[in-house]
Amino acid sequence: MGQPSPEPRPDVFQAIADPTRRQLLHMLGDHEMPVTAISGHFPMSRTAVSKHLRILTDAGLLKERKVGRETRYRLEPEPLLELKRWLSYYERYWDNKLLALQRFVESDQDEM
Amino acid sequence: MGQPSPEPRPDVFQAIADPTRRQLLHMLGDHEMPVTAISGHFPMSRTAVSKHLRILTDAGLLKERKVGRETRYRLEPEPLLELKRWLSYYERYWDNKLLALQRFVESDQDEM
DNA sequence: AGTATATGAAACCATTTGGTTTCATGTCAA
DNA sequence: TTGACATGAAACCAAATGGTTTCATATACT
């Protein structure tokens, strides 16, 4: 009755938690690249890199395109906006004036 | 001969990967709170919450303060700046004009 | 002094994660 | 068509993760 498969998209926070995957995003920002070329830059097997690529793709952070016998990956930055939105909530804590006010307002809870 | 213990601070990306920990950060932004009060808001044991609090504290995202027999935790937003810096690199991909230019420049690689 | 409260440490456990090697499939080139 | 290349899937494995229960310790209350 609803959409057929609501796609269980893993969240972007999990996806970027791994340093290898962050390197992948950085590497695929400007050039689309096939798997073998990508994996040459990492000290692990091609299949290991391939699994990271899948995780990033599932999170929506990469787009894959088949060209002949190779699969090329490229950055899809849109899901990072969720991260940006999450982070923007904490902008207010970097404003020192506001921070001082907050601490003053709740100072009555600071017994002892 | 260097500093005594350079503290192996776990990275902030790992720390915020867990949704429970993100909730904790949100909860502790405005009020300092002791462990038992905090854990009342989560469907897990107090010790489980305590371990999350430790991870966040080790990552520098929380400050703990002993008050009598309780330990109170509060948000320490500074390490989020690393995340902000990381994210800012990708700002350029959200600028559609720049994105169009990039794709044009590398269009010679797009055979087929 | 003795009891209750607040917390962290420890030992333990199931699941997830990040890697491996092997195998199957599809495409390109001779 | 035959062989090499590019890739993903599968089975497997060790270590990390996120949770539990139990125990020890420090502080507060009567």
Side-chain angles (χ1 to χ4, degrees), chain A residues 3 14 16-17 19 23-24 27 38 41 43 48 51-52 54 56 59 66-67 78 82 87 90 108-109:
Chain A
Q3 265 70 319
Q14 189 70 20
I16 65 164
Q23 265 189 264
L24 283 168
M27 179 177 307
I38 296 168
H41 294 78
K51 291 210 290 186
H52 283 303
R54 165 135 325 279
L56 289 170
K66 289 287 193 69
V67 174
E78 187 272 334
E82 184 191 346
L87 198 56
Y90 295 94
D108 53 287
Q109 297 184 42

Side-chain angles (χ1 to χ4, degrees), chain A residues 14 18 20-21 44-45 47-48 51-52 68-69:
Chain A
Q14 189 70 20
D18 185 273
T20 298
R21 290 198 286 268
M44 67 188 70
S45 71
T47 38
K51 291 210 290 186
H52 283 303
R69 57 183 157 181

Side-chain angles (χ1 to χ4, degrees), chain A residues 44-61:
Chain A
M44 67 188 70
S45 71
R46 176 187 51 78
T47 38
V49 172
S50 188
K51 291 210 290 186
H52 283 303
L53 291 170
R54 165 135 325 279
I55 289 167
L56 289 170
T57 304
D58 287 349
L61 286 163

Side-chain angles (χ1 to χ4, degrees), chain A residues 13-14 16-19 21-22, chain B residues 10-19 21-22 55-56 59 61 83:
Chain A
F13 293 92
Q14 189 70 20
I16 65 164
D18 185 273
R21 290 198 286 268
R22 291 198 296 277
Chain B
D11 77 298
V12 67
F13 293 91
Q14 190 70 18
I16 65 164
D18 186 273
R21 289 198 287 268
R22 291 198 296 278
I55 288 168
L56 290 169
L61 286 163
L83 190 67

Side-chain angles (χ1 to χ4, degrees), chain B residues 39-72:
Chain B
S39 76
H41 294 80
F42 293 89
M44 67 187 73
S45 71
R46 176 188 52 77
T47 37
V49 172
S50 188
K51 292 210 289 186
H52 284 302
L53 291 170
R54 166 134 324 278
I55 288 168
L56 290 169
T57 304
D58 288 348
L61 286 163
L62 294 180
K63 271 288 290 288
E64 64 181 16
R65 182 171 72 107
K66 289 287 193 68
V67 175
R69 58 183 156 178
E70 58 188 25
T71 308
R72 299 182 187 174

